[in-house]
C-alpha cells in the first residue's frame, strides 16, 4: 500500500507540471498572436505612408516616388513571393523618399508617416523576436508547439527614420 503522503506529492507534481505546461502554451500562443497583430499594424502603417505619398501626384520631382507608392499599394503580402516583392517595393520607396527629404514640397505628413512606420517596424521586430525565442522553450519543444504554430517572419525593410530625423 502506498502511503498517503506519496499520493499527495505525486498529485502536487502533476498539478505543477500541468500548470507550467498550460502557462507555457498560453504564453507562446499569445506571443504569436501579438506578432501577427504587429505585422498587420506594420502593413497598415506602410499602406498609410504610401497613401500619404500619393497625395503628391502631379507635383514636380515626386513622379518616381508616386510610382513606387502605387507599386507598394498594388502588392499584397499574402504569399511568400508577394511578401518579398512588397519588401523590395518598400525599400525602394524608402530610398526614394530619402532622396526627396530636402524637397521644399516635403511635408510634416511624410515625416510623421515615416516615424509611424519606424515605430511599427520596431514593435513588430520585438514581438517576432520574442515569439521566435518562445518556440525554443523546453516545454514548447516537448509539446511540439513549433509544429502547430507558424513561425513569425521578420520584415526586411529599411528603417525609414534613420535618414529622416529622430523618432
Amino acid at each position: 500500500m502506498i502511503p498517503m503522503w506519496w499520493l499527495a506529492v505525486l498529485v502536487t507534481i502533476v498539478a505543477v507540471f500541468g500548470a507550467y505546461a498550460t502557462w507555457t502554451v498560453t504564453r507562446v500562443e499569445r506571443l504569436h498572436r501579438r506578432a501577427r497583430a504587429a505585422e498587420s499594424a506594420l502593413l497598415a502603417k506602410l499602406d498609410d505612408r504610401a497613401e500619404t505619398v500619393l497625395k503628391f501626384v502631379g507635383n514636380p520631382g515626386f513622379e518616381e516616388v508616386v510610382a513606387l507608392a502605387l507599386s507598394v499599394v498594388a502588392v499584397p503580402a499574402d504569399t511568400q513571393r508577394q511578401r518579398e516583392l512588397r519588401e523590395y517595393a518598400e525599400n525602394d520607396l524608402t530610398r526614394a523618399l530619402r532622396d526627396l527629404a530636402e524637397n521644399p514640397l516635403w511635408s510634416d505628413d511624410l515625416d510623421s508617416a515615416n516615424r509611424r512606420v519606424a515605430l511599427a517596424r520596431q514593435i513588430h521586430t520585438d514581438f517576432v523576436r520574442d515569439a521566435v525565442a518562445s518556440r525554443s522553450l523546453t516545454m514548447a519543444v516537448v509539446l511540439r508547439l513549433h509544429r502547430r504554430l507558424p513561425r513569425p517572419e521578420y520584415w526586411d525593410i529599411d528603417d525609414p527614420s534613420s535618414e529622416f530625423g529622430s523618432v
Side-chain angles (χ1 to χ4, degrees), residues 130-144:
D130 293 345
V132 168
S134 74
R135 296 167 69 86
S136 63
L137 293 171
T138 304
M139 188 59 68
V141 172
V142 168
L143 296 174
R144 304 183 85 152

Side-chain angles (χ1 to χ4, degrees), residues 51-108:
E51 289 175 17
T52 301
V53 170
L54 292 177
K55 292 177 186 175
F56 290 91
V57 169
N59 287 326
F62 280 83
E63 296 86 6
E64 179 188 1
V65 176
V66 168
L68 288 169
L70 285 171
S71 70
V72 163
V73 173
V75 178
D78 299 332
T79 66
Q80 185 62 32
R81 180 68 182 141
Q82 289 173 334
R83 184 184 173 107
E84 289 171 6
L85 290 173
R86 179 74 185 255
E87 287 175 352
Y88 292 134
E90 291 293 349
N91 287 331
D92 290 343
L93 179 59
T94 299
R95 283 190 285 279
L97 286 172
R98 274 191 198 121
D99 294 341
L100 282 177
E102 299 304 320
N103 190 310
L105 295 176
W106 186 266
S107 72
D108 291 337

Side-chain angles (χ1 to χ4, degrees), residues 15-32:
V16 167
F17 180 78
Y20 179 68
T22 302
W23 175 81
T24 300
V25 168
T26 304
R27 179 170 184 240
V28 171
E29 288 176 343
R30 184 180 64 240
L31 287 170
H32 280 73

